[in-house]
Amino acid sequence: FVIWIIASIFLTIDYRRVLSFFKRQIPDRHIEIVREARRICASTLLRLMRAYLSLMTITFIELSIGLTILRVPYSILIAAIIAVVDILPVLGTGTVLIPWAVISLLMGDLNMFIGLGITYVIIALVRNVLEPRLVSYQIGLNPLVTLFFMFLGLRSIGILGMLLFPVIIMVLVELQKSDKIRIWK
């Protein structure tokens, strides 16, 4: 971690020189492909962020409704906090709702336990159905292809791979469409 921080500081200080060095290493015939890939990547990441913001909003609405029905004080604020936790890598609504439900059960509040459990199941189902569709719609890939590469990325390098693999495939598809590269027929 310390090495990563030091490397980040040095890279930030010498960013222009490092970037210039890498640009000089790329043959002239590939410069346009690199520029196009960078543009596509930035555009795809922006669309991916839009998809996850939509998922966060849907999760917030579901939580707001569920917590309001359960008569939880400050339900809107709590729903907002849990929705933010949900969008963070590795964490999810279960990080908050499952322990909360278990504590409610241990304290004898069976209604809260059941209500939080139902809320969690609904949120998980909706997210699992919508995430591949929203992500694929935003980045322009078939939902099955998006789901496949999200799974492949998750299995290969974890959460980061789940987010990056669809973006990489989108960049390759766009470069293929614009005849910058030729990978498949």
Side-chain angles (χ1 to χ4, degrees), residues 58-70:
I58 292 166
T59 301
F60 167 73
I61 292 168
E62 292 169 328
L63 282 164
S64 296
I65 292 169
L67 296 178
T68 301
I69 290 171
L70 292 170

Side-chain angles (χ1 to χ4, degrees), residues 155-166:
R155 299 300 297 167
S156 300
I157 57 174
I159 298 295
L160 184 63
M162 185 181 90
L163 298 172
L164 286 181
F165 274 39

Side-chain angles (χ1 to χ4, degrees), residues 6 16 23 30-32 35 45 48 52-53 64 66-67 77 92 95 105-107 115-116 123 126 140 149 151 172 182:
I6 293 169
R16 298 262 184 234
K23 282 182 179 179
H30 296 302
I31 291 290
E32 185 58 34
R35 283 188 184 132
L45 285 173
L48 194 60
Y52 280 103
L53 184 61
S64 296
L67 296 178
L77 176 62
T95 304
L105 180 64
L106 293 175
M107 294 183 74
L116 291 172
I123 290 169
V126 169
F149 282 102
F151 176 75
L172 293 174
R182 197 50 65 202

Side-chain angles (χ1 to χ4, degrees), residues 15-161:
Y15 179 74
R16 298 262 184 234
R17 284 186 14 206
V18 171
L19 188 62
S20 175
F21 170 79
F22 282 116
K23 282 182 179 179
R24 288 192 310 268
Q25 306 315 306
I26 299 170
D28 290 337
R29 66 183 189 273
H30 296 302
I31 291 290
E32 185 58 34
I33 293 172
V34 171
R35 283 188 184 132
E36 184 70 13
R38 183 176 174 200
R39 185 194 63 74
I40 293 167
C41 191
S43 169
T44 302
L45 285 173
L46 194 63
R47 289 180 288 177
L48 194 60
M49 286 173 38
R50 192 178 315 144
Y52 280 103
L53 184 61
S54 297
L55 284 170
M56 188 170 106
T57 302
I58 292 166
T59 301
F60 167 73
I61 292 168
E62 292 169 328
L63 282 164
S64 296
I65 292 169
L67 296 178
T68 301
I69 290 171
L70 292 170
R71 292 189 170 91
V72 172
Y74 307 106
S75 59
I76 303 299
L77 176 62
I78 294 170
I81 293 168
I82 296 172
V84 169
V85 169
D86 181 49
I87 209 69
L88 297 172
V90 181
L91 304 175
T93 55
T95 304
V96 176
L97 293 182
I98 292 173
W100 187 0
V102 170
I103 291 169
S104 296
L105 180 64
L106 293 175
M107 294 183 74
D109 192 349
L110 190 62
N111 289 334
M112 183 65 76
F113 170 75
I114 292 170
L116 291 172
I118 291 170
T119 303
Y120 175 71
V121 168
I122 290 170
I123 290 169
L125 286 173
V126 169
R127 183 173 184 100
N128 286 329
V129 169
L130 286 183
E131 185 170 14
R133 289 194 173 111
L134 276 173
V135 171
S136 67
Y137 173 76
Q138 286 295 329
I139 65 175
L141 288 178
N142 179 293
L144 187 58
V145 172
T146 303
L147 186 60
F148 173 76
F149 282 102
M150 287 173 77
F151 176 75
L152 186 65
L154 181 65
R155 299 300 297 167
S156 300
I157 57 174
I159 298 295
L160 184 63

